[in-house]
């Protein structure tokens, strides 16, 4: 099977399995912990822990941006150290964008919550219902896996989501691309972009990038707004 056909087959199988039997809460928690720990191994200092069809030594454009920032060493760091047994988890049910973050940010900066919420929803729901040459395809499962994987990398867990879907729909090379775009965007190259989902249209792949960026922004907002909430209370 081609990459596209294999992905569509996995999406179909996931839907059938969900209709037959749902995973228990304990099993879903275990799958999240496994996915969270694996996400820490995807990239380390620019080195891929998984075998992928490209490396960070390829086509890296060296750009000196240090003169534009006060702290040149500032950048993404994993939310926990690899090898730790008990990694911190941000339970989305305890502090969600819809129920907590939205109202707080609106109170701090009038109407900005509405604008942010509209942006999150627009990008998340954006779809032509296509996958490459296939039409009338429900891509909800795939979009949700992409969004939730980014939050998983930031230690955010949704109790009602089965992270087994992430592992089945997102291949290791794609996970490397996702973490690079989300956490180390300056290392993203055209070769990396071309190497994943080769049969997909550019508009679909650009949508993936938009989805990753919005998921990252919402994750960062959740941490920041939760800290502000705790300070205020």
């Amino acid at each position: 099977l081609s990459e596209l056909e294999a992905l569509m087959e996995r999406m179909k199988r996931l839907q059938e399995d969900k209709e037959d039997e749902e995973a228990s809460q304990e099993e879903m928690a275990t799958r999240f912990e496994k996915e969270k720990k694996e996400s820490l191994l995807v990239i380390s200092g620019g080195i891929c822990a998984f075998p992928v069809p490209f490396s960070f030594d390829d086509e890296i454009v060296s750009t000196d941006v240090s003169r534009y920032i006060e702290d040149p060493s500032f950048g993404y760091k994993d939310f926990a150290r690899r090898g730790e047994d008990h990694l911190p988890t941000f339970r989305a049910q305890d502090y969600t964008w819809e129920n907590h973050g939205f109202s707080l940010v609106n109170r701090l900066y009038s109407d900005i919550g509405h604008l942010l919420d509209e942006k999150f929803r627009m990008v998340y729901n954006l779809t032509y219902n296509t996958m490459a040459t296939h039409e009338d395809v429900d891509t909800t499962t795939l979009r949700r896996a992409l969004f939730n994987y980014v939050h998983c990398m930031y230690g955010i867990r949704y109790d009602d989501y089965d992270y087994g879907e992430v592992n089945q729909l997102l291949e290791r090379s794609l996970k490397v691309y996702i973490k690079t775009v989300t956490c180390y965007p300056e290392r993203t190259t055209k070769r990396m972009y071309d190497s994943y989902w080769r049969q997909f249209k550019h508009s679909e792949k650009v949508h993936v990038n938009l989805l990753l960026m919005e998921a990252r922004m919402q994750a960062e907002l959740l941490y920041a707004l939760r800290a502000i909430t705790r300070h205020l209370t």
Side-chain angles (χ1 to χ4, degrees):
L1 291 177
S2 68
E3 183 184 28
L4 172 63
E5 299 297 334
L7 177 58
M8 294 192 65
E9 181 63 28
R10 290 196 297 271
M11 289 173 62
K12 180 181 178 181
R13 190 165 59 245
L14 271 176
Q15 188 60 40
E16 292 173 349
D17 291 344
K18 188 179 294 185
E19 292 174 356
D20 292 340
E21 183 179 359
E22 291 188 3
S24 66
Q25 282 293 324
E26 183 179 354
E27 189 173 357
M28 289 199 292
T30 301
R31 291 173 181 175
F32 169 76
E33 291 299 325
K34 179 181 178 182
E35 199 65 49
K36 182 172 63 172
K37 289 180 180 179
E38 286 186 356
S39 74
L40 297 175
L41 301 174
V42 172
I43 296 175
S44 178
I47 299 174
C48 303
F50 297 142
V52 292
F54 49 76
S55 73
F56 286 107
D57 295 328
D58 297 327
E59 301 183 29
I60 289 185
V61 180
S62 58
T63 304
D64 182 14
V65 297
S66 60
R67 62 182 179 275
Y68 300 116
I69 55 180
E70 295 181 358
D71 182 4
S73 64
F74 181 81
Y76 170 83
K77 291 185 179 179
D78 285 318
F79 67 92
R81 294 181 180 178
R82 294 190 304 277
E84 289 184 358
D85 293 330
H86 302 289
L87 302 181
T89 297
F90 184 134
R91 290 180 50 126
Q93 276 65 23
D94 296 335
Y95 198 93
T96 65
W97 165 254
E98 294 80 6
N99 297 330
H100 306 90
F102 172 79
S103 58
L104 175 60
V105 78
N106 247 0
R107 182 154 58 95
L108 298 173
Y109 189 169
S110 180
D111 292 334
I112 193 65
H114 294 287
L115 296 174
L116 288 170
D117 191 63
E118 182 181 1
K119 187 160 69 87
F120 292 146
R121 291 178 185 274
M122 180 182 297
V123 171
Y124 186 86
N125 295 321
L126 181 64
T127 179
Y128 301 129
N129 293 314
T130 63
M131 287 182 67
T133 57
H134 296 267
E135 298 182 350
D136 299 321
V137 180
D138 184 358
T139 60
T140 304
T141 304
L142 185 57
R143 284 181 281 126
R144 183 171 59 234
L146 289 165
F147 194 92
N148 285 358
Y149 180 63
V150 173
H151 279 206
C152 178
M153 290 193 305
Y154 281 81
I156 300 174
R157 180 197 170 198
Y158 295 88
D159 291 346
D160 58 351
Y161 180 70
D162 182 0
Y163 288 85
E165 294 186 8
V166 169
N167 211 34
Q168 293 187 55
L169 294 178
L170 309 184
E171 296 181 347
R172 286 181 172 180
S173 59
L174 178 55
K175 288 180 178 179
V176 172
Y177 178 79
I178 290 171
K179 189 163 187 179
T180 306
V181 170
T182 307
C183 306
Y184 310 97
E186 72 281 0
R187 297 176 181 169
T188 309
T189 65
K190 187 176 185 301
R191 184 178 179 182
M192 295 173 66
Y193 170 85
D194 291 335
S195 294
Y196 87 96
W197 287 359
R198 300 184 183 189
Q199 295 170 288
F200 281 67
K201 301 173 185 175
H202 283 299
S203 59
E204 294 169 321
K205 296 176 75 168
V206 168
H207 180 211
V208 170
N209 286 6
L210 292 174
L211 195 61
L212 300 182
M213 290 293 95
E214 294 304 318
R216 167 187 165 173
M217 183 177 187
Q218 189 177 111
E220 293 170 338
L221 276 173
L222 284 174
Y223 274 103
L225 294 172
R226 185 181 67 167
I228 294 173
T229 299
R230 289 177 173 175
H231 174 71
L232 294 176
T233 54

